[in-house]
Amino acid sequence: MKQLKLTILFLIINFGGLAIGNWLMGAGPMGDWYTNINKAPWTPPGWVFGASWTLIMIFFSIYLGKLFTVKYTQKIKIAFLIQFILNVSWNYIVFNQQLVLFGLITIILLTSLLFVYYFKLSDQVKKYKYLPLPYIIWLCIATSLNLYILVHN
């Protein structure tokens, strides 16, 4: 029951974070800046972003619900808070402020933190170990897209 309550809490927090990030990016991918820059040839169509983030946050919320049930420490709470801030702020940094280099640094830090979740914390939740993988894979793709924009614009 505790795990279910925590999973629901993380679903609310994580989807709330997506909503905040969406709000902070302003015109975002529909704005003049983004539509006129050189983007990577492997940039997915817009609908893929929404579908991906929906699945990522569902899987990650289930993972966090289990993790916080079995290992509820100050370090894990701080890691989650940092992950949340980095994830939400990237939209503002890149789309709203067009600070592509700072965005790249932010997403590299975020991706690194997800690797910590996977390699340092997943043995606490063996059955749920692979749930952060879609998030990690998506961040690797997003990092490559961010880097492409930095290099080619």
Side-chain angles (χ1 to χ4, degrees):
M1 189 58 142
K2 180 180 179 182
Q3 181 181 341
L4 178 61
K5 288 179 184 177
L6 284 170
T7 299
I8 292 169
L9 175 64
F10 282 116
L11 283 166
I12 293 166
I13 292 169
N14 288 329
F15 279 98
L18 290 179
I20 293 167
N22 189 48
W23 176 70
L24 288 175
M25 75 175 148
M30 301 303 186
D32 288 340
W33 173 77
Y34 186 75
T35 56
N36 292 316
I37 61 173
N38 294 316
K39 292 177 273 308
W42 60 91
T43 302
W47 68 266
V48 172
F49 290 88
S52 297
W53 278 112
T54 299
L55 289 173
I56 287 165
M57 285 303 142
I58 290 169
F59 290 161
F60 194 53
S61 295
I62 294 167
Y63 174 84
L64 290 170
K66 180 63 174 180
L67 180 64
F68 274 67
T69 301
V70 299
K71 190 170 177 108
Y72 185 72
T73 66
Q74 192 67 19
K75 283 183 182 180
I76 292 177
K77 288 191 285 186
I78 291 169
F80 173 75
L81 179 62
I82 293 168
Q83 174 274 146
F84 183 86
I85 291 168
L86 290 171
N87 193 346
V88 169
S89 65
W90 183 88
N91 289 315
Y92 177 76
I93 293 165
V94 173
F95 287 112
N96 191 300
Q97 300 298 300
Q98 291 103 39
L99 299 171
V100 179
L101 176 60
F102 188 46
L104 181 62
I105 294 166
T106 302
I107 202 165
I108 288 170
L109 290 172
L110 177 58
T111 305
S112 300
L113 186 55
L114 263 292
F115 275 105
V116 169
Y117 271 109
Y118 187 72
F119 289 109
K120 296 282 186 189
L121 300 175
S122 287
D123 32 327
Q124 305 292 320
V125 290
K126 293 204 186 304
K127 223 167 69 171
Y128 298 78
K129 177 179 184 157
Y130 298 106
L131 290 175
L133 280 180
Y135 196 178
I136 292 169
I137 293 166
W138 186 256
L139 287 175
C140 289
I141 294 167
T143 301
S144 75
L145 298 173
N146 195 146
L147 179 60
Y148 188 95
I149 291 170
L150 179 65
V151 170
H152 294 279
N153 290 282

